[in-house]
Amino acid sequence: MDALTVALGAFAGLVASAFALVTADRWHRRRMTHHGAWTIAMVSFSVGSFALWWAASTGWSGGAFRVFFTAGAVLNVSWLALGSIALLFGDRIAIPLTRIVALLSAFAVGVMVVAPSKREFVASELPQARDHFGALPRVLAAVGSGVPALVIFAGAMWSIVRLLGRRPAGAHGSRHRPIVSTKRLVLSNVLVALGTLVLSASGSLAGRLGEEQAFAVTLSVGVVILFVGFMVPSVQPGTSSSAQRATQHLASTSGR
């Protein structure tokens, strides 16, 4: 048992759970699509992190790896990217995409439940998908993580360019869109992009830290960066309510 991996897996799961509670509360009060998508993403992130914690504590098994692989590699990033799309383009595009992502997620879960394993799991070793699953689960993971990660990163960079190029807003704002400084919004987008890059860096860290520790470190650091990036626009003093502050990022990036 690797004590560091156990601790970091639990930490990542707890941070993701807190993140999910924040976004779920905001979705409950505002019914905004990006909050709902991020809630699902963070629930998935939390499930994957706790699966890593459990496996690092008790040993890897088929069930633990299927949960870890499905929640972390297949589902999580797609819902994060859907939240970014909802912020950038609004419900007209995001709601139809939500139905598509939900159907594909259900299909992916079904595939992972019934996918046969090609070999036995070794409790002390982090399993590799190529050693245990056929082509379809691995394709689902590659498409479900790689393409959405590019969407998140590109969307964050595009938002930064738009924010830096726009004229400063008036000091008064509107009743529903209180002013948040451009610096805070740019910082928020930078952190979102950085968090996405960190979550994709486990492979490059594996040679230095070992595969389990690399996953644990990137999960922990990545989710903290994303959480901070999400909260940055919401902590500026002088605005009227937390619910209003939560929508400023939407107002600034979507141009609506």
Side-chain angles (χ1 to χ4, degrees):
M1 181 179 70
D2 185 340
L4 178 60
T5 302
V6 172
L8 289 177
F11 174 76
L14 291 172
V15 173
S17 298
F19 198 163
L21 289 172
V22 171
T23 53
D25 175 67
R26 294 183 179 185
W27 178 84
H28 176 72
R29 290 187 283 110
R30 306 291 295 185
R31 290 297 195 272
M32 288 186 169
T33 303
H34 65 289
H35 288 151
W38 283 342
T39 299
I40 295 173
M42 286 301 107
V43 169
S44 177
F45 198 111
S46 179
V47 169
S49 297
F50 281 126
L52 175 62
W53 164 77
W54 177 263
S57 302
T58 64
W60 286 96
S61 63
F65 183 65
R66 285 175 191 271
V67 172
F68 173 72
F69 186 79
T70 304
V74 179
L75 300 180
N76 168 253
V77 187
S78 297
W79 287 97
L80 278 175
L82 179 61
S84 295
I85 291 171
L87 276 172
L88 291 171
F89 302 108
D91 285 354
R92 183 177 179 181
I93 293 177
I95 289 179
L97 279 178
T98 300
R99 299 188 181 102
I100 295 172
V101 173
L103 286 173
L104 291 176
S105 297
F107 172 74
V109 170
V111 168
M112 294 308 305
V113 167
V114 302
S117 179
K118 298 189 293 185
R119 54 178 286 189
E120 294 294 323
F121 289 84
V122 179
S124 60
E125 296 179 5
L126 175 66
Q128 299 293 323
R130 64 179 177 271
D131 296 330
H132 294 277
F133 298 135
L136 183 55
R138 290 183 281 122
V139 169
L140 289 173
V143 175
S145 293
V147 175
L150 290 176
V151 170
I152 294 169
F153 187 78
M157 293 299 100
W158 184 52
S159 296
I160 291 170
V161 172
R162 291 185 64 189
L163 286 166
L164 292 176
R166 74 179 187 178
R167 293 182 178 181
H172 58 279
S174 70
R175 185 169 62 89
H176 297 292
R177 292 180 182 177
I179 297 302
V180 174
S181 70
T182 299
K183 287 183 179 180
R184 283 181 176 270
L185 295 171
V186 169
L187 176 59
S188 175
N189 280 281
V190 168
L191 289 172
V192 168
L194 179 60
T196 302
L197 288 176
V198 169
L199 291 173
S200 303
S202 60
S204 60
L205 289 177
R208 294 176 178 271
L209 301 177
E211 291 175 340
E212 278 190 349
Q213 284 192 2
F215 271 111
V217 168
T218 54
L219 285 176
S220 301
V221 176
V223 73
V224 168
I225 294 173
L226 287 174
F227 198 2
V228 173
F230 177 80
M231 295 301 295
V232 160
S234 303
V235 297
Q236 178 160 296
T239 51
S240 57
S241 71
S242 60
Q244 289 176 333
R245 293 194 301 270
T247 65
Q248 179 62 30
H249 200 177
L250 173 62
S252 65
T253 55
S254 65
R256 295 182 293 121

